[in-house]
Amino acid sequence: MSTIDYYNKNAKSYFDKTVDARMVEQYNIFLKHVKFNGKILDFGCGSGRDSLAFKNMGFQVYPIDGSEELCKLARQYTGLDVKCMDFFDLNDEEFYDGIWACSSILHVQRSRYLELLRKMRNAIKTDGSMYISFADGYDEEVYKEDGRYFNDLNEKSFIDLTSLANLRVVEYIKNKSNISAHNNVTWNIFILKRR
């Protein structure tokens, strides 16, 4: 089973586990770097929880996810046009004021991570910002028993990659998860801008 297969097969249980997580603190970290009413790409939207929150706050939201089953649930939940697409099909140029990648690109293969960061950089406007979060790891690639792949970066390895992608870190925070299934997990949160 692949990562996408896992989310397709377990879409409803994943939706139920994550849709009610309180994310106000994380939204505040991100949105102070994004133009009000601006365009936000929810990059790996999962349940659609964050897309709906941004929509209700007055932003133009573009949610995408790689799991067709999660996209269906997110469409129903948000009323938004949730696109099912591979991250690497992102080819927009200087279109978004912000990209929200909350616990999503941690599934991207290490060998292609830099390529994706460059695509994300190209997709934000010159003054745009990116929010990227992932569990604090041991700088290793891990395949879980359920079939999911995790690129367990640590702070240093991620910052090295962002530099190669011509991005700069403007804010970095470590905090605990708001999702009960992730108790005792420490998350790295980065706000990035173009160099």
Side-chain angles (χ1 to χ4, degrees):
M1 184 185 305
S2 71
T3 301
I4 293 297
D5 291 337
Y6 171 87
Y7 287 110
N8 279 329
K9 184 179 177 184
N10 298 283
K12 183 63 169 70
S13 62
Y14 182 81
F15 179 96
D16 292 341
K17 277 193 307 193
T18 60
V19 73
D20 292 325
R22 287 189 41 80
M23 299 292 290
V24 174
E25 179 184 351
Q26 289 83 354
Y27 298 155
N28 290 339
I29 292 166
F30 175 53
L31 295 176
K32 68 185 176 187
H33 298 280
V34 179
K35 182 181 82 172
F36 181 66
N37 289 332
K39 297 173 182 172
I40 294 176
L41 174 64
D42 190 350
F43 205 50
C45 68
S47 66
R49 169 198 67 213
D50 305 328
S51 290
L52 183 60
F54 296 143
K55 172 186 164 186
N56 289 341
M57 286 185 261
F59 292 90
Q60 302 168 63
V61 189
Y62 300 80
I64 72 159
D65 201 275
S67 163
E68 184 58 56
E69 295 304 313
L70 275 174
C71 287
K72 289 177 188 173
L73 293 171
R75 283 184 204 112
Q76 293 168 4
Y77 181 66
T78 65
L80 292 165
D81 178 23
V82 180
K83 288 195 167 64
C84 185
M85 66 178 263
D86 188 282
F87 288 153
F88 289 92
D89 291 334
L90 177 68
N91 292 310
D92 297 308
E93 296 281 336
E94 296 188 23
F95 184 77
Y96 301 103
D97 297 287
I99 294 178
W100 173 262
C102 179
S103 185
S104 59
I105 64 172
L106 50 74
H107 292 305
V108 172
Q109 295 281 341
R110 179 76 55 102
S111 61
R112 299 194 70 192
Y113 209 85
L114 180 56
E115 175 190 352
L116 184 65
L117 287 175
R118 287 176 172 152
K119 280 181 168 283
M120 294 170 73
R121 180 195 180 276
N122 292 341
I124 57 171
K125 295 177 181 176
T126 304
D127 60 347
S129 302
M130 289 191 282
Y131 174 107
I132 295 177
S133 66
F134 52 88
D136 195 29
Y138 297 100
D139 199 25
E140 61 187 359
E141 298 177 89
V142 177
Y143 287 89
K144 303 283 186 182
E145 287 181 12
D146 59 22
R148 288 181 294 172
Y149 165 87
F150 287 87
N151 183 0
D152 281 352
L153 293 164
N154 59 26
E155 175 189 354
K156 181 187 182 311
S157 57
F158 180 75
I159 289 173
D160 289 347
L161 283 168
T162 61
S163 180
L164 291 171
N166 211 16
L167 291 161
R168 60 190 171 92
V169 177
V170 295
E171 191 166 354
Y172 169 66
I173 295 169
K174 271 187 191 274
N175 76 357
K176 292 288 185 184
S177 177
N178 292 332
I179 297 172
S180 59
H182 297 156
N183 280 343
N184 301 318
V185 175
T186 299
W187 291 86
N188 290 302
I189 296 172
F190 288 90
I191 302 295
L192 304 171
K193 287 185 173 286
R194 288 171 171 243
R195 279 192 187 276

